[in-house]
Amino acid sequence: MSTHRSRTRVGPGTAHRAGPLDVDALLADRTTQIVVCCGSGGVGKTTTSAALALRAAEQGRKVVVLTIDPARRLAQSMGIAELDNTPRPVADVDGTAGGSLDAMMLDMKRTFDEVVLSQASPEKAEQILANPFYIALSSSFAGTQEYMAMEKLGQIHREHVQGSGDYDLIIVDTPPSRSALDFLDAPERLSSFLDGRFVRLMLAPAKGPARLMTAGFSLITNALTKILGAQFLKDLQTFVAALDTVFGGFRQRAQKTYSLLQADGTAFLVVAAPEPDALREAAYFVERLSEDAMPLAGLIVNRASAVPVSDLSAEEAVAGAERLLVEDPDSLTAGLLRLHADRARLVEREGELRDRFATAHPQVATAVVPALAGDVHDLDGLRRVGDLLGEVTTDAEPESTQRR
Amino acid sequence: MSQRPKVRLHVVTGKGGTGKSTVASALALALATAGRNVLLCEVEGRQGIARMFDVDPLPYEERRLTTGLPDAEGGRGVVHALHIDAESALLEYLAMYYRLGRAGRALDRFGVIEFATTIAPGVRDVLLTGKVYEAVQRNSRNKGAIQYDAVVLDAPPTGRITQFLNVSNELAGLAKVGPIRSQSDTMMTLFRSPRTAVHLVTVLEEMPVQETADGIAELRGADLPVGSVIVNQVRPRDLSPAALQAARAGTLDRAAIRTDLERAGLAGVDTLTEGLVAEAHDHAERRALEDSQRAVVERLGVPTCELPRLAGGIDLGALYELAGMLREQGMTGGPR
């Protein structure tokens, strides 16, 4: 594996390191049916997902990429004006290898509405869809987005991968969750909410064993009424009652999707940037995924600074620049040396951060992708990112100069 | 740009990865001039303040964090920190306004607190902003509390900020009447007043700048006061415009550079010259992209200020350094 890593280490670092992440092998493996990209916000997750999807499609996979990002960035980068809740074919994908690419933007409210409509009688559905709690929950609650992403993933997998067979690979871009793995927790949270004591009390405040608690319960309903107004409680009661009947199969489906994520056909890719926060978040993802026995394929470190062409150290460069500035305060060469020092320091710091991550998580295969000069707007840009993803090594070492 | 002597609440937002927590911390240090008390709050449960200032994780309690950046006379104020979580905010709120000792505990026992803070839509944001409001607008119920001259909020990202601050809208339809409703209206009055400024942190790349533009439009649409755009992580400016142009065009004078490098006593000048010229080309390309995005930022019609990218990363010293730059650029209400 990564034999060019010459530094010898002691401690945990001496453990066997997984080495470079082979993205192409992952995409080419026909048993890979689902790739989930997760990571904190601002690390290029959406672009990475789209680039992986395009690369897989042009290598012969029948791909659908599912994005959840409300900023519609994928739409921009794929040249599609509007993505909605239905996968749409992406134009200008090279299909000579027999592959295809569809893209879809998750509309979480619509997905939620679809679930309600498919589960409830028409009158009941209407009642739920008009409830103010439902409206707020389905359009603004942070966990809903994560849950609906999983719901949609499950649905596409059932209908298109196992069913019609018009896709053989789903690539999922996860929302930039506030807490790292909201999308794993969301189904659990929603269903534990339905099982919660408060909800059961709301449904049957005066029946059975709950009677013992009614004294306490009226205390809290009074408190809530005082604070929130009576209508609030009434709306909430209606909502909870309606949800309970609708989501009979809710937990079951959530559980199925969860098992699907744990299955061999799924691969998680953690995306990060070479920044302390993003890598800390990535470490959290890695730990959480292994706790939940989710199949982790590796780490992608985006936006790595380009390795300087010359291996002059930052200190030497700064010292040289200072000597020149004494003679000529406007020295161009001094400016060049300082730029070099700046870049060398950045690269060194990023390398240290990655090294620390690798020391703590030696089992995680890693791909490092250099930062592009500009943003990705089009398929060509995505192809370039895809090429970089395909050719990466663990370290963007100076000798691997694919740049001009 | 002596724009904000009146501002009491500075809300700092930004797209993920642009460094909004760093900027919020630096701004708090910059605002804490002699005799002034500043509160730095976070609401996303990330304990970013504790990490940034290298202290133990913060509780739901105002803690003295550090002293501010000294002014010209060496005077410095105090920065306090507060980590706001929705559950504690709700319990405190109930205790403060309803003396709900027993009922408050009952609420907790019945899972209502958990329900209200994790499931009930909108409520979570109202609780978090409610505590921020309370810190800005101290009232007699919170006895012995520190009066702050300024509060800096490390807020949720740009995509969520309008929704987050627009509390009465979030509650609309849920709580139509009652004290929560009227309190959220009072909060909105502060958030919409000139005593509040929402600053947006961006980097000079296309998507963050686009999100900043969208964020400003949304804030304005909701009548929320936009403060400054803080352009973060700006690349070093070691080359003159003429040199940048030459670097892009590939017309840098290699022979002159080579001679300079020899004079500076550096070894391997041939490969070094080629390396530096190639690096300069790459740098000039990126600078040109930055310039085009800077032009977009300038067209937003919002005061801007710029902070450099620090190659060594952000430590406590760097925060003070950035604080000084914010102060120089008038972010604290005129240079001091």
Side-chain angles (χ1 to χ4, degrees):
Chain A
M1 292 226 150
S2 71
T3 44
H4 68 282
R5 191 176 275 281
S6 53
R7 279 153 291 180
T8 48
R9 333 186 118 265
V10 286
T14 47
H16 175 67
R17 286 201 183 179
L21 168 66
D22 191 340
V23 173
D24 279 344
L26 178 71
L27 297 179
D29 182 350
R30 292 280 159 168
T31 63
T32 309
Q33 293 186 335
I34 297 174
V35 173
V36 183
C37 296
C38 49
S40 54
V43 295
K45 216 169 17 179
T46 305
T47 309
T48 301
S49 314
L52 287 172
L54 180 61
R55 190 168 180 84
E58 297 193 332
Q59 288 175 355
R61 301 293 304 261
K62 289 182 280 179
V63 189
V64 59
V65 56
L66 205 166
T67 185
I68 298 124
D69 193 59
R72 316 222 148 188
R73 288 180 291 185
L74 183 66
Q76 291 165 4
S77 62
M78 303 192 85
I80 302 168
E82 192 88 346
L83 284 178
D84 54 27
N85 233 14
T86 337
R88 297 270 176 86
V90 177
D92 300 324
V93 174
D94 179 0
T96 45
S100 63
L101 175 60
D102 283 11
M104 190 198 109
M105 170 83 145
L106 181 80
D107 179 334
M108 83 172 151
K109 170 123 178 61
R110 202 190 296 194
T111 307
F112 212 146
D113 291 355
E114 283 166 11
V115 173
V116 171
L117 288 166
S118 70
Q119 297 288 311
S121 63
E123 314 88 78
K124 195 109 206 168
E126 203 178 316
Q127 194 193 355
I128 296 174
L129 296 181
N131 183 284
F133 270 91
Y134 172 77
I135 293 169
L137 183 74
S138 61
S139 52
S140 68
F141 172 52
T144 312
Q145 204 177 26
E146 285 80 7
Y147 175 69
M148 287 305 140
M150 292 303 110
E151 176 74 35
K152 198 73 196 177
L153 169 63
Q155 190 197 328
I156 292 182
H157 189 260
R158 270 193 312 278
E159 291 173 9
H160 296 277
V161 178
Q162 292 174 327
S164 64
D166 41 4
Y167 302 130
D168 58 27
L169 177 64
I170 309 173
I171 295 190
V172 193
D173 168 32
T174 57
S177 300
R178 272 189 282 183
S179 68
L181 286 181
D182 275 357
F183 72 92
L184 285 182
D185 295 330
E188 172 70 16
R189 260 166 61 193
L190 277 170
S191 54
S192 78
F193 157 63
L194 291 174
D195 283 335
R197 192 140 55 141
F198 179 56
V199 168
R200 277 183 293 140
L201 282 170
M202 294 283 292
L203 289 172
K207 271 185 278 170
R211 245 195 23 230
L212 292 172
M213 299 190 275
T214 43
F217 189 67
S218 67
L219 193 67
I220 60 173
T221 49
N222 288 345
L224 288 176
T225 308
K226 202 157 94 183
I227 303 165
L228 299 164
Q231 187 63 36
F232 186 91
L233 269 192
K234 209 184 285 167
D235 284 343
L236 180 58
Q237 227 148 5
T238 329
F239 172 63
V240 165
L243 259 195
D244 197 54
T245 54
V246 167
F247 287 100
F250 179 90
R251 264 154 292 216
Q252 209 187 337
R253 275 214 311 282
Q255 191 50 49
K256 254 195 201 149
T257 308
Y258 191 85
S259 323
L260 179 64
L261 291 176
Q262 279 178 328
D264 286 341
T266 302
F268 280 86
L269 288 174
V270 176
V271 186
E275 288 295 329
D277 284 345
L279 281 171
R280 195 180 299 115
E281 202 69 355
Y284 184 79
F285 272 99
V286 165
E287 278 154 28
R288 182 61 214 279
L289 287 170
S290 54
E291 259 169 43
D292 283 40
M294 295 286 172
L296 171 67
L299 172 76
I300 294 176
V301 181
N302 275 332
R303 307 173 142 261
S305 296
V307 175
V309 185
S310 155
D311 57 5
L312 183 72
S313 78
E315 292 72 23
E316 280 176 290
V318 168
E322 272 160 14
R323 280 194 289 274
L324 291 172
L325 286 172
V326 173
E327 293 165 35
D328 172 13
D330 298 321
S331 166
L332 165 74
T333 309
L336 295 178
L337 285 167
R338 277 157 62 156
L339 278 181
H340 174 81
D342 185 72
R343 198 194 267 204
R345 279 199 203 107
L346 268 181
V347 168
E348 187 188 354
R349 178 167 143 264
E350 289 175 5
E352 274 168 16
L353 288 169
R354 285 203 314 272
D355 238 32
R356 255 183 253 164
F357 182 95
T359 307
H361 305 280
Q363 80 284 11
V364 182
T366 305
V368 180
V369 184
L372 295 178
D375 279 337
V376 173
H377 313 263
D378 49 17
L379 293 194
D380 281 340
L382 288 176
R383 280 188 195 105
R384 271 202 303 280
V385 176
D387 288 344
L388 292 169
L389 280 163
E391 73 191 14
V392 281
T393 52
T394 33
D395 268 311
E397 295 285 0
E399 65 266 20
S400 67
T401 40
Q402 302 96 4
R403 293 171 320 281
R404 310 127 296 228
Chain B
M1 240 201 293
S2 60
Q3 47 185 11
R4 52 184 66 87
K6 276 190 299 190
V7 175
R8 294 278 307 282
L9 173 60
H10 295 266
V11 178
V12 181
T13 182
K15 180 172 150 35
T18 58
K20 78 180 163 64
S21 301
T22 306
V23 172
S25 302
L27 182 59
L29 292 175
L31 288 164
T33 47
R36 284 167 68 91
N37 276 311
V38 176
L39 180 68
L40 172 61
C41 312
E42 70 176 318
V43 291
E44 293 183 287
R46 289 187 293 127
Q47 289 289 351
I49 300 176
R51 272 200 297 265
M52 197 113 43
F53 287 89
D54 200 14
V55 296
D56 288 339
L58 297 165
Y60 183 79
E61 187 186 294
E62 290 155 41
R63 284 273 170 92
R64 186 186 184 284
L65 188 63
T66 182
T67 47
L69 178 74
D71 55 27
E73 286 81 47
R76 30 169 69 184
V78 177
V79 178
H80 303 256
L82 173 65
H83 177 267
I84 305 178
D85 69 274
E87 294 197 11
S88 309
L90 178 56
L91 285 171
E92 186 193 41
Y93 172 84
L94 293 175
M96 205 184 280
Y97 284 88
Y98 297 95
R99 307 228 168 94
L100 284 184
R102 192 161 152 243
R105 280 194 298 279
L107 289 174
D108 206 8
R109 195 155 48 83
F110 283 99
V112 177
I113 302 287
E114 198 204 345
F115 166 78
T117 53
T118 63
I119 306 288
V123 172
R124 188 185 174 81
D125 288 350
V126 175
L127 290 166
L128 299 173
T129 47
K131 179 61 190 173
V132 173
Y133 172 84
E134 193 271 327
V136 178
Q137 203 89 352
R138 285 268 130 105
N139 65 34
S140 53
R141 288 176 204 262
N142 194 352
K143 293 194 179 60
I146 300 172
Q147 297 285 341
Y148 292 105
D149 298 287
V151 173
V152 179
L153 171 63
D154 180 0
T158 315
R160 253 177 47 76
I161 190 63
T162 302
Q163 187 192 15
F164 180 75
L165 292 174
N166 209 351
V167 282
S168 42
N169 192 42
E170 277 204 69
L171 281 182
L174 292 183
K176 294 189 182 72
V177 288
I180 280 247
R181 178 77 226 206
S182 64
Q183 276 158 11
S184 71
D185 288 345
T186 322
M187 279 156 60
M188 282 316 293
T189 311
L190 168 70
F191 295 158
R192 289 194 167 132
S193 77
R195 287 180 300 153
T196 298
V198 183
H199 307 298
L200 299 99
V201 182
T202 188
V203 292
L204 291 175
E205 287 170 26
E206 208 168 315
M207 279 174 186
V209 168
Q210 183 57 47
E211 270 192 37
T212 304
D214 295 347
I216 289 173
E218 276 176 37
L219 287 164
R220 286 184 175 151
D223 285 327
L224 290 160
V226 176
S228 299
V229 170
I230 298 160
V231 177
N232 196 20
Q233 297 168 13
V234 175
R235 283 168 205 284
R237 305 245 179 108
D238 292 310
L239 298 187
S240 66
L244 283 175
Q245 214 175 1
R248 279 187 86 188
T251 54
L252 285 174
D253 185 347
R254 286 180 161 78
I257 294 168
R258 195 181 178 285
T259 316
D260 277 350
L261 292 174
E262 266 175 352
R263 260 192 312 150
L266 293 166
V269 289
D270 287 330
T271 45
L272 186 52
T273 303
E274 286 315 307
L276 292 180
V277 168
E279 287 168 34
H281 179 266
D282 184 47
H283 174 76
E285 292 273 303
R286 283 165 205 253
R287 282 283 301 276
L289 286 165
E290 278 193 359
D291 287 343
S292 66
Q293 289 306 311
R294 183 177 286 111
V296 177
V297 170
E298 277 161 10
R299 282 200 296 276
L300 295 173
V302 172
T304 61
C305 83
E306 294 201 359
L307 296 174
R309 184 186 70 190
L310 300 174
I314 303 295
D315 56 10
L316 198 53
L319 285 179
Y320 281 96
E321 203 179 310
L322 295 175
M325 296 174 197
L326 288 174
R327 209 184 265 175
E328 269 167 33
Q329 295 179 69
M331 278 295 293
T332 54
R336 278 168 191 267

